[in-house]
Amino acid sequence: MEASPRARSVNQPNTLTTSRYRSRNSTRTKPRSPGQTACISSGTGQGNYELREIVNAIRYQGRTGVQWDYLPHDLPPKSATYYYFGKWRDDGTDKTIHDLLRWHLREKKKRLADPNLVALDTQSVHVAAGVPASTTGKDAAKRVAGRKRGLAVDVLGLVIAVVMLAASAHENVAGIALLDRVAASTEGTATKALVDQGFKNTVVAHGSGLGIDVEIVERNPTDKGFVPQPKRWVVEQTYGILMFHRRLVRDYEHLPASSESRAYWAMTDVMSRRLIRGTAPAWRWT
């Protein structure tokens, strides 16, 4: 006998379990029940789908990197999934959910909701065919043609801010944008930032104006190969975790804002697993 769509969905490792769904619902002012549906209008007609399944579809695509047209048939179709992905990206719901989970996880680790120290770094990634050339460039130092992803993380490796730029953008541009977003997100609690030698004095001066002391962590000239730097290494670890979400390995998004949203959804997935560790399948990267 063929398994029901519901049974197939529950058996997928990326499926949002009831406990994880409740952890996200707890971040809402007015929680929705797990079975509450969302109605949308699209070019193909009406559709009624549980918001839980919309989130499952976004997470499934982010984790597997599957194309829109290849979403499993037991998940909502592209028309519904992309409608909410774009809506939540534009109104900030994706980041709001992410930040509330981050605060919850930090408090669970006996820390304040917002950090006072962050680490900044960038990563250049290739882009897929069809990504607008106006949003891409070439990182001559790393020999990568595409986009540059910038992250600001706390000492736990949790993302505070994401920025997506053309790969040709200088580290200073990414650093300034990240510091602005860190200051806005933490509302002044962040007072220290660690960066590598790719960031220059322009970033230090900008941070000073925001009340953030930017320290350039210099590499020991006697070191050979990759040597993790104390405290600052955690941002490298976060990049490694994000690479398990295949939608982020190469940038497929036409809009840089969509690329940033993908990073927030990936970390939302990681944090929801950590919050209910012991009641969900153990994934070695979470």
Side-chain angles (χ1 to χ4, degrees):
M1 180 181 295
E2 183 182 2
S4 67
R6 187 63 179 164
R8 286 194 297 272
S9 177
V10 169
N11 287 333
Q12 292 173 358
N14 67 290
T15 299
L16 193 63
T17 61
T18 299
S19 56
R20 294 171 66 189
Y21 183 79
R22 287 173 177 170
S23 73
R24 296 188 191 196
N25 260 349
S26 67
T27 67
R28 297 177 180 269
T29 304
K30 296 181 180 179
R32 296 179 183 268
S33 63
Q36 188 164 345
T37 60
C39 300
I40 70 164
S41 296
S42 65
T44 58
Q46 287 290 117
N48 297 328
Y49 306 99
E50 294 183 19
L51 289 181
R52 175 174 177 170
E53 293 305 316
I54 296 290
V55 173
N56 274 336
I58 293 174
R59 293 177 53 255
Y60 180 89
Q61 190 186 41
R63 178 65 184 87
T64 65
V66 68
Q67 297 178 20
W68 282 109
D69 291 339
Y70 288 88
L71 284 174
H73 63 82
D74 55 330
L75 291 173
K78 172 186 175 180
S79 58
T81 304
Y82 187 77
Y83 172 85
Y84 275 98
F85 174 78
K87 183 176 185 294
W88 291 338
R89 174 200 65 205
D90 295 339
D91 66 16
T93 298
D94 54 354
K95 189 174 186 304
T96 298
I97 294 173
H98 168 274
D99 288 350
L100 289 170
L101 285 175
R102 172 168 55 81
W103 294 335
H104 189 182
L105 186 55
R106 282 184 56 84
E107 290 172 352
K108 185 178 180 180
K109 298 291 185 180
K110 310 300 183 183
R111 295 178 179 271
L112 297 177
D114 287 317
N116 54 29
L117 184 146
V118 296
L120 278 56
D121 202 4
T122 63
Q123 173 193 52
S124 293
V125 295
H126 293 282
V127 296
V131 173
S134 60
T135 65
T136 66
K138 184 173 182 179
D139 185 336
K142 298 178 181 178
R143 300 181 181 180
V144 173
R147 286 179 176 157
K148 181 170 291 185
R149 179 183 295 125
L151 291 184
V153 307
D154 64 9
V155 295
L156 299 177
L158 305 180
V159 172
I160 308 299
V162 182
V163 65
M164 203 72 181
L165 304 167
S168 55
H170 194 277
E171 302 289 89
N172 286 347
V173 177
I176 289 172
L178 285 171
L179 287 174
D180 286 338
R181 297 189 183 190
V182 167
S185 180
T186 62
E187 298 181 346
T189 63
T191 58
K192 181 84 172 181
L194 303 178
V195 301
D196 64 19
Q197 292 175 279
F199 297 87
K200 307 302 180 183
N201 291 335
T202 303
V203 178
V204 177
H206 187 78
S208 179
L210 297 172
I212 301 176
D213 177 24
V214 179
E215 178 184 344
I216 299 177
V217 180
E218 298 186 359
R219 176 185 172 88
N220 188 330
T222 63
D223 290 338
K224 295 182 179 180
F226 174 74
V227 179
Q229 302 296 320
K231 293 186 179 179
R232 207 193 66 79
W233 70 272
V234 71
V235 68
E236 306 286 354
Q237 182 188 52
T238 300
Y239 275 121
I241 291 173
L242 290 179
M243 289 302 98
F244 283 103
H245 295 76
R246 300 187 68 173
R247 189 79 180 186
L248 298 178
V249 174
R250 181 181 293 265
D251 197 348
Y252 297 90
E253 312 301 331
H254 281 215
L255 299 177
S258 293
S259 300
E260 295 170 5
S261 182
R262 290 289 182 185
Y264 285 125
W265 279 114
M267 284 305 299
T268 294
D269 181 42
V270 170
M271 291 187 293
S272 63
R273 289 180 180 277
R274 291 180 181 176
L275 283 169
I276 59 150
R277 189 182 296 278
T279 62
W283 286 13
R284 64 185 178 87
W285 55 87
T286 61

